[in-house]
Amino acid sequence: MRYQIGPDEPVDVAVVSAVSAAEECAPEALPQLTEAVNPDALNEIFAPKDEGPTRRSGTVSFDYSNSRVTIERNEYLTVEPLDVIPTP
């Protein structure tokens, strides 16, 4: 599932929204995001810079609930079920 992050939507909120949609459950039914990643740090990685050029690249992936979440440039995130991701 591909999810477009809203222009004023915090990344941590987008993650919970996208995973709850992909797993077809209420956001409250998901584990706390802090069990997978530090939400403040995640938001900071993709936050606008105070000075200089804007951030145009960057990708972060992590497992949350029963999904692998990949965030790309604070624009999109993808959610893949862990049971279909090949293991090395």
Side-chain angles (χ1 to χ4, degrees):
M1 173 192 163
R2 191 163 169 99
Y3 180 94
Q4 184 169 4
I5 301 171
D8 296 322
E9 184 176 25
V11 176
D12 64 328
V13 172
V15 167
V16 172
S17 296
V19 172
S20 69
E23 295 186 8
E24 298 179 347
C25 67
E28 302 81 33
L30 294 171
Q32 292 294 312
L33 185 58
T34 55
E35 292 179 23
V37 68
N38 179 322
D40 293 332
L42 187 63
N43 288 330
E44 185 64 28
I45 289 170
F46 294 102
K49 293 167 58 175
D50 291 335
E51 296 178 14
T54 59
R55 292 183 173 104
R56 296 186 188 266
S57 63
T59 302
V60 172
S61 293
F62 57 92
D63 295 345
Y64 171 54
S65 187
N66 297 311
S67 299
R68 165 92 25 94
V69 177
T70 302
I71 304 163
E72 304 168 42
R73 296 182 316 245
N74 195 29
E75 294 176 14
Y76 294 97
L77 62 85
T78 55
V79 179
E80 299 175 88
L82 285 175
D83 60 353
V84 298
I85 298 172
T87 55

XYZ file of all heavy atoms in Angstrom:
671
model
N 0.840 -1.171 0.000
C 0.000 0.000 0.000
C 0.888 1.238 0.000
O 1.860 1.308 0.733
C -0.884 -0.008 1.247
C -1.670 1.249 1.401
S -2.413 1.346 3.036
C -2.778 3.061 3.043
N 0.564 2.193 -0.829
C 1.294 3.459 -0.883
C 0.403 4.545 -0.288
O -0.782 4.621 -0.608
C 1.661 3.780 -2.322
C 2.626 4.927 -2.464
C 3.234 4.881 -3.872
N 3.964 6.069 -4.179
C 5.273 6.183 -4.093
N 5.998 5.155 -3.712
N 5.881 7.303 -4.399
N 0.967 5.384 0.553
C 0.233 6.424 1.269
C 0.949 7.747 1.054
O 2.157 7.833 1.262
C 0.203 6.066 2.763
C -0.511 7.040 3.659
C -1.847 6.858 3.972
C 0.157 8.121 4.225
C -2.512 7.726 4.826
C -0.491 8.996 5.072
C -1.825 8.802 5.364
O -2.475 9.667 6.215
N 0.216 8.758 0.632
C 0.815 10.077 0.465
C 0.686 10.849 1.773
O -0.419 11.004 2.304
C 0.152 10.857 -0.663
C 0.838 12.189 -0.902
C 0.380 12.860 -2.179
O -0.511 12.381 -2.862
N 1.009 13.965 -2.509
N 1.807 11.319 2.270
C 1.832 12.082 3.513
C 1.351 13.503 3.213
O 1.846 14.159 2.299
C 3.248 12.106 4.111
C 3.720 10.667 4.388
C 3.286 12.937 5.389
C 5.181 10.555 4.768
N 0.384 13.973 3.977
C -0.154 15.320 3.791
C 0.885 16.384 4.092
O 1.814 16.155 4.877
N 0.749 17.568 3.496
C 1.762 18.616 3.672
C 1.953 19.063 5.119
O 3.046 19.457 5.499
C 1.264 19.769 2.798
C -0.149 19.459 2.472
C -0.350 17.986 2.639
N 0.925 18.997 5.930
C 1.038 19.393 7.341
C 0.890 18.203 8.284
O 0.731 18.381 9.489
C -0.021 20.449 7.675
C 0.200 21.741 6.903
O 1.367 22.131 6.720
O -0.801 22.347 6.471
N 0.956 16.998 7.739
C 0.773 15.788 8.541
C 2.112 15.326 9.120
O 3.054 15.084 8.369
C 0.179 14.683 7.663
C -0.146 13.409 8.392
C -0.810 12.385 7.486
O -0.607 12.424 6.256
O -1.533 11.544 8.022
N 2.226 15.205 10.434
C 3.462 14.673 11.010
C 3.696 13.241 10.520
O 2.751 12.470 10.319
C 3.207 14.699 12.519
C 2.090 15.674 12.712
C 1.258 15.583 11.464
N 4.947 12.892 10.330
C 5.292 11.574 9.803
C 4.784 10.467 10.723
O 4.258 9.458 10.254
C 6.815 11.457 9.567
C 7.185 10.061 9.105
C 7.276 12.492 8.550
N 4.904 10.641 12.042
C 4.449 9.593 12.953
C 2.946 9.353 12.845
O 2.485 8.217 12.890
C 4.874 9.877 14.402
C 4.259 11.135 14.991
O 4.021 12.109 14.247
O 4.021 11.151 16.215
N 2.177 10.402 12.630
C 0.729 10.270 12.452
C 0.427 9.564 11.138
O -0.451 8.694 11.066
C 0.044 11.658 12.507
C -1.429 11.567 12.141
C 0.210 12.272 13.894
N 1.171 9.898 10.096
C 0.993 9.250 8.797
C 1.272 7.753 8.893
O 0.557 6.936 8.299
C 1.899 9.896 7.756
N 2.300 7.367 9.638
C 2.643 5.951 9.797
C 1.474 5.197 10.429
O 1.041 4.162 9.927
C 3.929 5.769 10.637
C 4.108 4.320 11.065
C 5.135 6.260 9.863
N 0.947 5.705 11.519
C -0.151 5.035 12.213
C -1.387 4.970 11.303
O -2.043 3.929 11.214
C -0.468 5.726 13.555
C -1.717 5.153 14.187
C 0.717 5.605 14.505
N -1.690 6.045 10.606
C -2.842 6.059 9.701
C -2.688 5.041 8.582
O -3.618 4.289 8.276
C -3.026 7.452 9.088
O -3.334 8.386 10.078
N -1.516 5.001 7.971
C -1.282 4.094 6.846
C -1.291 2.636 7.293
O -1.885 1.777 6.629
C 0.039 4.429 6.163
N -0.647 2.338 8.413
C -0.599 0.952 8.887
C -1.994 0.493 9.317
O -2.396 -0.637 9.017
C 0.441 0.775 10.011
C 0.343 -0.613 10.641
C 1.842 1.006 9.466
N -2.755 1.354 9.964
C -4.105 0.941 10.366
C -4.975 0.687 9.139
O -5.774 -0.258 9.128
C -4.745 1.960 11.304
O -5.043 3.161 10.640
N -4.805 1.472 8.081
C -5.554 1.235 6.845
C -5.109 -0.058 6.172
O -5.932 -0.866 5.735
C -5.382 2.413 5.892
N -3.811 -0.281 6.108
C -3.282 -1.483 5.456
C -3.662 -2.755 6.214
O -3.944 -3.788 5.598
C -1.765 -1.390 5.329
N -3.669 -2.679 7.532
C -3.996 -3.848 8.349
C -5.484 -3.937 8.673
O -5.918 -4.838 9.383
C -3.155 -3.844 9.627
C -1.673 -4.003 9.348
C -0.820 -4.148 10.595
O -1.372 -4.288 11.722
O 0.419 -4.130 10.452
N -6.240 -2.960 8.156
C -7.696 -2.922 8.334
C -8.104 -3.026 9.803
O -8.877 -3.902 10.207
C -8.362 -4.017 7.500
C -8.114 -3.848 6.018
C -8.743 -4.945 5.174
O -9.172 -5.990 5.718
O -8.802 -4.744 3.954
N -7.530 -2.119 10.589
C -7.874 -2.062 12.006
C -7.877 -0.607 12.457
O -7.372 0.272 11.767
C -6.894 -2.885 12.839
S -5.212 -2.219 12.869
N -8.447 -0.369 13.610
C -8.454 0.978 14.181
C -7.046 1.326 14.657
O -6.299 0.443 15.106
C -9.423 1.048 15.354
N -6.655 2.596 14.574
C -5.336 2.986 15.065
C -5.095 2.574 16.514
O -3.982 2.202 16.883
C -5.328 4.513 14.920
C -6.314 4.793 13.832
C -7.380 3.728 13.978
N -6.144 2.578 17.321
C -6.011 2.209 18.732
C -5.668 0.732 18.912
O -5.182 0.331 19.966
C -7.302 2.514 19.498
C -7.741 3.959 19.453
C -8.483 4.323 18.168
O -9.210 3.482 17.587
O -8.328 5.466 17.730
N -5.939 -0.084 17.900
C -5.653 -1.523 17.992
C -4.185 -1.840 17.707
O -3.731 -2.948 17.972
C -6.542 -2.293 17.020
N -3.455 -0.875 17.183
C -2.034 -1.081 16.866
C -1.183 -0.947 18.128
O -1.559 -0.249 19.068
C -1.562 -0.041 15.841
C -2.189 -0.132 14.463
C -1.786 1.085 13.628
C -1.771 -1.414 13.766
N -0.010 -1.563 18.132
C 0.912 -1.334 19.251
C 1.367 0.133 19.254
O 1.251 0.830 18.249
C 2.091 -2.263 18.954
C 1.856 -2.890 17.646
C 0.526 -2.463 17.132
N 1.884 0.563 20.368
C 2.434 1.921 20.428
C 3.570 2.046 19.412
O 4.405 1.147 19.307
C 2.957 2.220 21.835
C 1.879 2.326 22.882
C 0.990 3.527 22.647
O 1.456 4.637 22.414
N -0.309 3.302 22.695
N 3.614 3.141 18.685
C 4.666 3.350 17.694
C 6.043 3.348 18.362
O 7.032 2.929 17.757
C 4.429 4.660 16.936
C 5.360 4.967 15.781
C 5.327 3.857 14.725
C 5.000 6.307 15.145
N 6.110 3.762 19.606
C 7.384 3.795 20.328
C 8.012 2.410 20.488
O 9.201 2.314 20.760
C 7.217 4.429 21.719
O 6.194 3.720 22.433
C 6.852 5.900 21.610
N 7.237 1.345 20.296
C 7.796 -0.003 20.354
C 8.636 -0.312 19.115
O 9.439 -1.244 19.136
C 6.676 -1.036 20.494
C 5.958 -0.959 21.822
C 4.840 -1.964 21.950
O 4.856 -2.989 21.241
O 3.938 -1.727 22.771
N 8.454 0.471 18.051
C 9.183 0.230 16.800
C 10.214 1.309 16.499
O 11.273 1.023 15.952
C 8.201 0.138 15.638
N 9.898 2.547 16.847
C 10.752 3.675 16.463
C 10.458 4.855 17.394
O 9.380 4.930 17.986
C 10.496 4.048 14.972
C 9.113 4.621 14.758
C 11.543 4.972 14.413
N 11.401 5.755 17.504
C 11.200 6.973 18.288
C 10.429 7.968 17.410
O 10.978 8.486 16.433
C 12.554 7.556 18.699
C 12.430 8.822 19.498
O 11.579 9.671 19.246
N 13.313 8.984 20.472
N 9.149 8.250 17.713
C 8.356 9.135 16.858
C 8.945 10.536 16.712
O 8.892 11.121 15.629
C 6.994 9.191 17.550
C 6.942 7.968 18.395
C 8.364 7.700 18.808
N 9.511 11.080 17.784
C 10.102 12.421 17.701
C 11.294 12.432 16.747
O 11.450 13.348 15.934
C 10.540 12.919 19.079
C 9.359 13.168 20.004
O 8.257 13.474 19.503
O 9.544 13.049 21.229
N 12.131 11.412 16.839
C 13.282 11.319 15.937
C 12.830 11.127 14.497
O 13.388 11.727 13.576
C 14.194 10.168 16.358
N 11.800 10.328 14.293
C 11.264 10.108 12.951
C 10.760 11.415 12.349
O 11.062 11.742 11.197
C 10.131 9.078 13.019
C 9.557 8.604 11.707
C 10.611 7.874 10.888
C 8.363 7.688 11.970
N 10.030 12.184 13.121
C 9.548 13.487 12.640
C 10.708 14.430 12.353
O 10.682 15.179 11.375
C 8.587 14.116 13.654
C 7.256 13.416 13.691
O 6.790 12.861 12.700
N 6.628 13.427 14.848
N 11.721 14.397 13.195
C 12.877 15.283 13.027
C 13.664 14.971 11.763
O 14.152 15.874 11.079
C 13.781 15.204 14.256
C 14.929 16.170 14.245
C 14.511 17.634 14.275
O 13.431 17.955 14.808
O 15.268 18.464 13.734
N 13.792 13.687 11.430
C 14.529 13.295 10.224
C 13.946 13.974 8.992
O 14.675 14.420 8.115
C 14.507 11.762 10.045
C 15.373 11.088 11.098
C 14.961 11.359 8.642
C 15.203 9.581 11.136
N 12.624 14.055 8.938
C 11.961 14.581 7.750
C 11.442 16.005 7.917
O 10.747 16.521 7.047
C 10.814 13.646 7.348
C 11.310 12.302 6.894
C 11.242 11.206 7.727
C 11.881 12.155 5.643
C 11.715 9.967 7.312
C 12.360 10.927 5.220
C 12.272 9.832 6.057
N 11.782 16.655 9.016
C 11.329 18.023 9.247
C 12.032 18.997 8.298
O 13.169 18.761 7.888
C 11.619 18.429 10.695
N 11.340 20.094 7.954
C 12.010 21.110 7.130
C 13.219 21.676 7.863
O 13.234 21.753 9.091
C 10.945 22.196 6.959
C 9.663 21.583 7.377
C 9.995 20.447 8.299
N 14.229 22.033 7.107
C 15.428 22.631 7.697
C 15.177 24.112 7.948
O 14.427 24.751 7.230
C 16.607 22.447 6.745
C 17.011 20.994 6.584
C 17.955 20.749 5.444
C 19.225 21.511 5.509
N 20.167 21.163 4.440
N 15.810 24.647 8.998
C 15.670 26.071 9.296
C 16.377 26.927 8.260
O 15.919 28.019 7.926
C 16.233 26.385 10.685
C 15.383 25.789 11.798
O 14.171 25.574 11.568
O 15.923 25.539 12.883
N 17.498 26.438 7.753
C 18.282 27.194 6.782
C 18.764 26.262 5.676
O 18.846 25.055 5.859
C 19.502 27.829 7.454
C 19.158 28.851 8.503
C 20.395 29.418 9.161
O 21.509 29.227 8.638
O 20.254 30.045 10.207
N 19.105 26.841 4.563
C 19.681 26.058 3.478
C 18.622 25.390 2.630
O 17.423 25.630 2.779
N 19.085 24.529 1.734
C 18.150 23.876 0.822
C 17.234 22.897 1.552
O 17.575 22.386 2.620
C 19.067 23.139 -0.159
C 20.342 22.940 0.590
C 20.462 24.114 1.524
N 16.064 22.649 0.971
C 15.148 21.701 1.575
C 15.675 20.282 1.412
O 16.497 20.016 0.537
C 13.753 21.793 0.924
O 13.890 21.520 -0.470
C 13.146 23.169 1.100
N 15.196 19.398 2.230
C 15.583 17.994 2.113
C 14.846 17.389 0.922
O 13.639 17.436 0.849
C 15.225 17.238 3.389
C 16.059 17.678 4.563
C 15.725 16.832 5.804
N 16.637 17.138 6.861
C 16.360 17.895 7.923
N 15.173 18.400 8.051
N 17.258 18.132 8.842
N 15.587 16.836 -0.011
C 14.979 16.282 -1.213
C 15.086 14.768 -1.295
O 14.518 14.165 -2.191
C 15.622 16.888 -2.452
C 15.381 18.368 -2.559
C 15.919 18.875 -3.873
N 15.863 20.312 -3.916
C 14.863 20.999 -4.449
N 13.848 20.383 -4.980
N 14.892 22.311 -4.444
N 15.848 14.175 -0.416
C 16.005 12.725 -0.494
C 16.054 12.142 0.903
O 16.079 12.855 1.887
C 17.271 12.369 -1.271
O 18.406 12.855 -0.589
N 16.071 10.836 0.957
C 16.151 10.133 2.222
C 15.066 9.084 2.320
O 13.942 9.300 1.881
N 15.440 7.951 2.859
C 14.516 6.840 3.037
C 14.788 6.187 4.381
O 15.943 6.022 4.767
C 14.703 5.789 1.913
O 14.498 6.423 0.663
C 13.730 4.641 2.062
N 13.730 5.823 5.078
C 13.825 5.114 6.345
C 12.846 3.945 6.290
O 11.710 4.114 5.862
C 13.468 6.036 7.536
C 13.380 5.257 8.831
C 14.454 7.173 7.659
N 13.304 2.772 6.707
C 12.438 1.592 6.783
C 12.517 0.988 8.172
O 13.584 0.977 8.787
C 12.867 0.533 5.761
O 12.657 0.976 4.461
N 11.393 0.469 8.648
C 11.344 -0.213 9.932
C 10.097 -1.081 9.978
O 9.165 -0.890 9.198
C 11.369 0.782 11.108
C 10.247 1.796 11.074
C 9.050 1.552 11.732
C 10.398 2.985 10.384
C 8.026 2.484 11.697
C 9.371 3.926 10.340
C 8.185 3.675 11.003
N 10.099 -2.046 10.878
C 8.943 -2.921 11.076
C 8.081 -2.341 12.187
O 8.591 -1.930 13.243
C 9.387 -4.333 11.463
C 10.159 -5.025 10.343
O 10.107 -4.547 9.192
O 10.818 -6.038 10.637
N 6.774 -2.321 11.931
C 5.818 -1.823 12.916
C 4.552 -2.672 12.815
O 4.016 -2.854 11.720
C 5.514 -0.346 12.661
C 4.387 0.220 13.482
C 4.391 0.122 14.867
C 3.317 0.860 12.877
C 3.356 0.646 15.625
C 2.288 1.399 13.621
C 2.306 1.289 14.998
O 1.280 1.802 15.748
N 4.115 -3.191 13.915
C 2.975 -4.096 13.967
C 3.287 -5.306 13.093
O 4.302 -5.955 13.316
C 1.692 -3.368 13.555
O 0.557 -4.194 13.751
N 2.473 -5.583 12.105
C 2.723 -6.713 11.208
C 3.145 -6.230 9.829
O 2.879 -6.904 8.827
C 1.466 -7.582 11.106
C 1.101 -8.194 12.436
O 1.953 -8.776 13.105
N -0.133 -8.045 12.839
N 3.784 -5.064 9.771
C 4.110 -4.436 8.493
C 5.535 -3.897 8.463
O 6.110 -3.570 9.497
C 3.154 -3.267 8.229
O 1.822 -3.705 8.165
N 6.063 -3.786 7.259
C 7.313 -3.054 7.011
C 6.910 -1.695 6.437
O 6.187 -1.609 5.456
C 8.181 -3.814 6.019
C 9.322 -3.043 5.397
C 10.681 -3.112 6.074
N 10.965 -4.262 6.875
C 11.600 -5.366 6.468
N 12.004 -5.495 5.224
N 11.845 -6.352 7.314
N 7.375 -0.641 7.088
C 7.064 0.725 6.682
C 8.314 1.333 6.067
O 9.397 1.258 6.649
C 6.611 1.580 7.892
C 6.358 3.020 7.484
C 5.393 0.964 8.564
N 8.172 1.935 4.894
C 9.272 2.649 4.250
C 8.794 4.055 3.940
O 7.779 4.235 3.263
C 9.716 1.940 2.955
O 10.108 0.606 3.280
C 10.883 2.669 2.297
N 9.529 5.039 4.451
C 9.190 6.448 4.231
C 10.188 7.013 3.241
O 11.393 6.837 3.399
C 9.240 7.238 5.558
C 8.310 6.586 6.575
C 8.884 8.700 5.323
C 8.573 6.997 7.984
N 9.675 7.699 2.221
C 10.511 8.264 1.175
C 10.337 9.782 1.125
O 9.245 10.269 0.844
C 10.118 7.677 -0.180
C 10.164 6.168 -0.231
C 9.487 5.629 -1.472
O 9.676 6.209 -2.553
O 8.757 4.636 -1.341
N 11.388 10.505 1.412
C 11.456 11.955 1.262
C 10.302 12.726 1.899
O 9.941 13.795 1.426
C 11.514 12.325 -0.220
C 12.719 11.846 -0.917
C 12.688 12.299 -2.358
N 11.380 12.116 -2.937
C 11.083 11.290 -3.918
N 12.003 10.574 -4.458
N 9.856 11.188 -4.364
N 9.682 12.194 2.922
C 8.576 12.867 3.597
C 7.416 13.136 2.650
O 6.616 14.027 2.882
C 9.038 14.161 4.278
C 8.016 14.688 5.267
O 7.262 13.929 5.847
N 7.982 15.978 5.456
N 7.328 12.397 1.554
C 6.219 12.567 0.626
C 5.307 11.353 0.617
O 4.102 11.478 0.552
C 6.735 12.816 -0.791
C 7.475 14.127 -0.943
C 8.044 14.295 -2.336
O 7.654 13.544 -3.251
O 8.880 15.187 -2.513
N 5.926 10.185 0.615
C 5.174 8.939 0.529
C 5.691 7.951 1.547
O 6.843 8.009 1.950
C 5.335 8.302 -0.860
C 4.732 9.112 -1.966
C 5.511 9.958 -2.732
C 3.365 9.028 -2.236
C 4.955 10.711 -3.748
C 2.808 9.772 -3.258
C 3.595 10.612 -4.010
O 3.046 11.364 -5.013
N 4.828 7.031 1.911
C 5.298 5.878 2.650
C 4.607 4.651 2.079
O 3.526 4.746 1.515
C 5.101 6.014 4.159
C 3.721 6.158 4.771
C 3.082 4.806 4.983
C 3.862 6.865 6.098
N 5.286 3.546 2.159
C 4.706 2.289 1.716
C 4.608 1.356 2.910
O 5.431 1.405 3.822
C 5.541 1.615 0.599
O 6.881 1.455 1.051
C 5.535 2.443 -0.663
N 3.571 0.543 2.880
C 3.328 -0.430 3.932
C 3.204 -1.790 3.263
O 2.376 -1.971 2.374
C 2.034 -0.092 4.707
C 1.778 -1.121 5.794
C 2.097 1.309 5.297
N 4.060 -2.723 3.674
C 4.038 -4.083 3.140
C 3.828 -5.054 4.293
O 4.482 -4.918 5.328
C 5.358 -4.427 2.466
C 5.718 -3.551 1.289
C 7.111 -3.906 0.783
O 7.207 -4.805 -0.071
O 8.062 -3.297 1.294
N 2.973 -6.054 4.123
C 2.812 -7.064 5.182
C 4.116 -7.838 5.386
O 4.773 -8.212 4.417
C 1.727 -7.991 4.651
C 1.150 -7.326 3.461
C 2.117 -6.285 2.990
N 4.481 -8.060 6.625
C 5.723 -8.775 6.919
C 5.695 -10.220 6.436
O 6.733 -10.771 6.092
C 6.015 -8.752 8.426
C 6.519 -7.433 8.973
C 6.646 -7.516 10.490
C 7.850 -7.035 8.348
N 4.535 -10.829 6.356
C 4.466 -12.227 5.968
C 4.717 -12.460 4.477
O 4.858 -13.590 4.053
C 3.146 -12.871 6.385
C 1.935 -12.198 5.770
O 2.059 -11.153 5.109
O 0.825 -12.734 5.970
N 4.794 -11.386 3.672
C 5.088 -11.561 2.246
C 6.457 -11.015 1.852
O 6.843 -11.084 0.706
C 4.001 -10.923 1.335
C 2.667 -11.592 1.562
C 3.933 -9.423 1.540
N 7.204 -10.483 2.823
C 8.540 -9.956 2.549
C 9.529 -11.118 2.618
O 9.592 -11.810 3.637
C 8.925 -8.855 3.549
C 7.946 -7.671 3.405
C 10.360 -8.396 3.329
C 8.112 -6.609 4.460
N 10.296 -11.355 1.536
C 11.258 -12.459 1.567
C 12.352 -12.209 2.607
O 12.782 -11.082 2.803
C 11.856 -12.478 0.162
C 11.319 -11.294 -0.543
C 10.290 -10.627 0.315
N 12.773 -13.259 3.275
C 13.867 -13.152 4.227
C 15.146 -13.620 3.564
O 15.135 -14.552 2.766
C 13.593 -14.003 5.485
O 13.344 -15.336 5.085
C 12.422 -13.461 6.269
N 16.260 -12.968 3.876
C 17.535 -13.353 3.237
C 18.025 -14.708 3.662
O 17.727 -15.266 4.623
C 18.499 -12.262 3.690
C 17.801 -11.426 4.691
C 16.379 -11.853 4.763
